[in-house]
Amino acid sequence: MIVKPEIMRGGLVKNPHPIGCKAVVEKQINYMKSLPKFSNKKRALIIGGSSGYGLASRIALAYGADADTISVSFEPGVNDKRLGSAGWWNNIWFKEQAEKDGLIAKNIIGDAFSDEVRQQTIDMIKKEFDGKIDILIYSLASPRRTDPKTGITHSSVLKSTVGEIAAPTLDLNKQIIVDGKMMAATKHDIDETIKVMGGEDWQLWIESLKEAGVLADGFKTTAYSYDGADGTDAIYKKGTIGAAKRHLEKTALTLNNELHDLQGEAFVTVAKALVTKASAFIPLFPLYGCALFKVMKELGTHENTIEQIDRFMRDMLYGNKRITDEVGRVRPDNLEMDDNTQILTNAIMSKMTSENFKEISDFAGFYQDFLELNGFNVAGVNYDASIDIDTLKSKQP
């Protein structure tokens, strides 16, 4: 079977390329192997460790801190209609390589919002990880969440808290700028989005793990967030997403207090704008990303996902170069938020049209990152070669 990218309406890629996903994982691992370690051995739990910042965190900890890791993610496997998800294959390829390198790598596939998966994780920590973990990375992105206490399923929405606004974006299938708008949010919309994307589930994880006695002394936890610059202010800070992120920040303060007896800490990490499964479909963001990438590459400050996470962990998580803001968030997005970078980025965005955006921005780089999310257009992979589906089906995360 020969696998080609099938980009559907809205920019969703229907099928991943399993061998391409392997190459992407190996590229990140090889990057970390080229660097010195940044910490002594750790035991890490990553909630949402199958792609994006979560996957990069798993790789960085494994190869920068010799970490044994557990990843919890909800990823569909191979069936008659599709070749699984990119995250499914990322889990498989990471586990395969990590075990070859003498590390413990466990994948739990299931609903991270459920009490059952939390208990399964606790049991695994007690059995496989000497009963303790040193760090939990929370990097979960989901449009829905079922509250384990009430059984009610909540759905997040992308809406504005300041009234209806214009929200042009890129159609990645047709490769054109399309007009759009973000509808005004109701209080119900805001509350629903906070239930899904706020800090409630992160808090449930930490409190459950602490009650079970599986958090080591000096335990650290962080949840990834994005703050947004002027170019995306209407979507993030003034959107339902922003309301959820403020809740996440309040949760971090609560958790930080709860970890004092372990000499631990909890904080929100504001990461750089990058192409992820979630960000590629947020209005305005692709236009901002294309402009930002061009500016940062020309200035020599651009970082891809693994480079960003390595610098964060090396300098700010386990190093002595932590950058924080007035509300205590850790800010590895400092290079993106540089004043000159933002001025140049906004100048490009103000000139963008469907006719010129490919020439005046780094659309090519943004689109390349988008394809790589699903294992396509990766150097060294023969996309004309047939894939043995039956052999791949036998692999399990």
Side-chain angles (χ1 to χ4, degrees):
M1 179 179 182
I2 295 176
V3 182
K4 301 292 182 181
E6 298 178 47
I7 303 177
M8 303 169 67
R9 184 176 179 181
L12 180 68
V13 178
K14 182 179 179 181
N15 268 345
H17 194 287
I19 307 306
C21 290
K22 183 178 183 181
V24 172
V25 171
E26 288 177 344
K27 183 165 64 172
Q28 294 190 57
I29 289 175
N30 289 337
Y31 175 78
M32 289 305 305
K33 283 183 173 181
S34 73
L35 301 173
K37 306 290 186 185
F38 55 69
S39 176
N40 57 1
K41 188 169 182 63
K42 297 291 182 257
R43 296 156 295 183
L45 170 60
I46 299 93
I47 310 299
S50 59
S51 62
Y53 277 122
L55 174 63
S57 296
R58 189 181 196 186
I59 292 171
L61 285 163
Y63 291 94
D66 291 323
D68 296 325
T69 60
I70 303 173
S71 169
V72 179
S73 60
F74 188 68
E75 298 289 351
V78 182
N79 57 39
D80 293 336
K81 294 183 179 179
R82 61 178 296 182
L83 288 173
S85 65
W88 174 267
W89 294 109
N90 293 340
N91 282 334
I92 287 172
W93 301 129
F94 173 83
K95 177 181 173 68
E96 187 174 279
Q97 186 59 54
E99 289 181 343
K100 285 181 182 178
D101 291 329
L103 298 168
I104 297 173
K106 300 295 183 181
N107 294 314
I108 294 176
I109 306 299
D111 181 5
F113 298 130
S114 70
D115 289 337
E116 292 77 13
V117 166
R118 265 188 287 277
Q119 187 59 53
Q120 184 182 352
T121 305
I122 289 168
D123 293 343
M124 183 174 286
I125 293 169
K126 290 180 176 179
K127 181 180 178 181
E128 305 282 354
F129 287 71
D130 299 324
K132 299 287 183 180
I133 56 171
D134 302 292
I135 182 168
L136 182 148
I137 300 291
Y138 193 87
S139 184
L140 203 59
S142 173
R144 288 172 295 279
R145 170 177 174 251
T146 299
D147 188 322
K149 290 184 172 59
T150 66
I152 297 173
T153 298
H154 303 273
S155 298
S156 63
V157 295
L158 288 171
K159 290 187 178 181
S160 168
T161 62
V162 293
E164 184 179 309
I165 59 170
T169 194
L170 280 179
D171 182 321
L172 290 170
N173 184 22
K174 297 180 180 178
Q175 298 188 15
I176 59 172
I177 295 177
V178 293
D179 292 330
K181 59 184 178 181
M182 179 174 279
M183 304 303 292
T186 64
K187 184 180 184 303
H188 177 73
D189 291 329
I190 296 170
D191 291 343
E192 284 283 287
T193 304
I194 289 173
K195 286 289 287 187
V196 178
M197 300 177 67
E200 187 173 272
D201 183 64
W202 183 27
Q203 184 168 353
L204 283 174
W205 269 100
I206 299 302
E207 291 178 348
S208 297
L209 293 164
K210 187 179 182 188
E211 184 178 348
V214 297
L215 302 184
D217 288 342
F219 171 81
K220 296 177 183 289
T221 184
T222 191
Y224 289 131
S225 183
Y226 181 70
D227 196 44
D230 289 346
T232 56
D233 186 69
I235 302 298
Y236 284 94
K237 292 178 184 176
K238 297 176 181 175
T240 48
I241 299 176
K245 297 307 182 185
R246 301 297 82 78
H247 185 274
L248 189 71
E249 291 156 16
K250 291 178 182 178
T251 302
L253 297 176
T254 299
L255 293 178
N256 197 56
N257 289 331
E258 292 182 5
L259 293 171
H260 276 172
D261 59 330
L262 295 173
Q263 291 78 51
E265 64 173 341
F267 55 87
V268 167
T269 298
V270 183
K272 172 183 179 288
L274 288 166
V275 186
T276 67
K277 287 194 298 184
S279 69
F281 308 109
I282 295 175
L284 279 177
F285 182 85
L287 297 176
Y288 172 75
C290 290
L292 177 72
F293 287 12
K294 179 178 177 63
V295 170
M296 295 191 75
K297 286 177 181 179
E298 289 179 347
L299 294 175
T301 57
H302 180 73
E303 294 169 318
N304 61 26
T305 310
I306 191 66
E307 291 168 342
Q308 162 87 160
I309 292 301
D310 172 69
R311 181 169 66 88
F312 157 63
M313 291 187 171
R314 187 177 301 276
D315 291 354
M316 303 182 197
L317 183 63
Y318 292 112
N320 59 3
K321 300 177 183 176
R322 184 174 292 186
I323 299 171
T324 57
D325 61 21
E326 66 280 359
V327 294
R329 299 175 300 181
V330 176
R331 302 298 297 261
D333 68 334
N334 60 305
L335 300 178
E336 173 189 353
M337 301 311 297
D338 169 75
D339 288 343
N340 186 49
T341 297
Q342 286 300 309
I343 290 170
L344 295 171
T345 299
N346 290 334
I348 292 174
M349 288 187 71
S350 69
K351 300 173 185 175
M352 277 182 167
T353 67
S354 278
E355 290 70 36
N356 71 9
F357 76 92
K358 290 183 180 180
E359 287 72 40
I360 68 172
S361 76
D362 186 31
F363 171 77
F366 187 95
Y367 192 63
Q368 170 68 23
D369 290 352
F370 170 73
L371 290 175
E372 283 195 11
L373 289 176
N374 289 278
F376 291 103
N377 212 35
V378 183
V381 178
N382 182 2
Y383 291 97
D384 294 322
S386 181
I387 293 176
D388 185 342
I389 300 301
D390 291 334
T391 299
L392 288 175
K393 281 182 179 179
S394 67
K395 294 183 177 291
Q396 296 295 318

